Amino acid sequence: MASTSVSKGQILSLYRSLLRTARQFSDYNIREYTKRRTVDGFRQNRGLTEPSLISAAFSEGKSQLQVAERQAVVYSLYAPDIRSVMETNLKGKR
Amino acid sequence: MALRAALIRHLRVPVQTLSPAGRVSQPSVANSLFGSIRFMSSHDDHLSKEDVADRVLSVVKSFPKVDPSKVTPDVHFQSDLGLDSLDNVEILMALEEEFKLEIPDKEADKIDSCKLAIEYIHNHPMAS
């Protein structure tokens, strides 16, 4: 299988898709974790120059995106009514 | 029940008295009132450019990697603020959340300065 090199646009598009999928989670913890993990993961691999490593990281990212999309659907089926305390806007700090 | 009856007795509803000729004696206050309120008109709903600019700047300033003192309406994300393309995407995500928009990928790739962001959001019909 001839591997075409991954372009910067594709990487940014994957990044954006992961962050958008993270927003769909109703659970605060999972949402924040997904955002944190994508930011950390992409930053960690930022300095890669070898095409094989880049495409390996890219395909790993794509499979993670598919996992996240599936889980977003599953979580939305059983979304809890109670929101996390981190999401409440406490006005008037003491 | 008694309270309700007392309340109804207490309320005075203005009643328009019809003169014998059949003309309504009250001037059409109602018409002028409703004339200034345009129901279901979204013409004035659009955000002003200063409003958009303020909110865009506050979002950019609250980004952890950005130095707030350097943020001006003309600032370029990558060349002036020293961010990279990943940060660019993150800032655009934050702007999407602030204005409840969905920016398509093609447009998002072009926005790389505050000026373009303010322009795009101002021209977007769904910005709120």
Side-chain angles (χ1 to χ4, degrees), chain B residues 23-100:
Chain B
R23 278 172 38 239
V24 179
S25 54
Q26 281 259 14
S28 52
V29 176
N31 277 347
S32 60
L33 236 178
F34 284 117
S36 57
I37 302 171
R38 280 174 289 161
F39 293 113
M40 292 188 267
S41 155
S42 59
H43 185 70
D44 294 327
D45 246 0
H46 210 73
L47 299 169
S48 70
K49 198 147 192 189
E50 302 100 44
D51 200 23
V52 172
D54 284 338
R55 284 165 72 181
V56 167
L57 289 181
S58 67
V59 166
V60 176
K61 280 182 199 173
S62 58
F63 197 67
K65 287 181 211 159
V66 164
D67 180 10
S69 57
K70 287 192 196 164
V71 177
T72 68
D74 289 322
V75 77
H76 197 273
F77 294 142
Q78 294 187 31
S79 38
D80 297 330
L81 294 175
L83 303 173
D84 68 355
S85 47
L86 293 179
D87 296 320
N88 207 339
V89 176
E90 280 179 56
I91 287 188
L92 282 174
M93 286 282 139
L95 287 173
E96 280 188 10
E97 282 177 33
E98 167 73 20
F99 289 97
K100 301 188 185 56

Side-chain angles (χ1 to χ4, degrees), chain A:
Chain A
M1 179 169 91
S3 57
T4 51
S5 61
V6 181
S7 74
K8 182 173 168 177
Q10 282 175 295
I11 296 177
L12 291 179
S13 180
L14 176 66
Y15 192 58
R16 204 175 285 125
S17 313
L18 275 164
L19 291 177
R20 281 198 208 277
T21 309
R23 278 207 293 230
Q24 290 172 20
F25 282 103
S26 43
D27 185 335
Y28 171 83
N29 293 318
I30 313 246
R31 189 166 65 228
E32 290 301 308
Y33 167 74
T34 312
K35 282 199 269 185
R36 241 187 354 252
R37 184 71 186 88
T38 55
V39 172
D40 290 348
F42 273 77
R43 284 220 175 267
Q44 208 178 3
N45 290 334
R46 207 183 138 198
L48 289 180
T49 48
E50 223 196 280
S52 58
L53 289 178
I54 294 177
S55 54
F58 182 73
S59 31
E60 196 192 314
K62 273 213 294 196
S63 58
Q64 291 296 325
L65 173 64
Q66 287 166 0
V67 170
E69 285 174 342
R70 274 200 304 270
Q71 288 309 106
V73 175
V74 172
Y75 268 88
S76 69
L77 295 173
Y78 299 101
D81 297 326
I82 310 164
R83 311 194 78 191
S84 162
V85 70
M86 300 291 290
E87 291 177 333
T88 55
N89 273 327
L90 292 171
K91 294 190 183 171
K93 299 178 192 172
R94 288 176 216 168

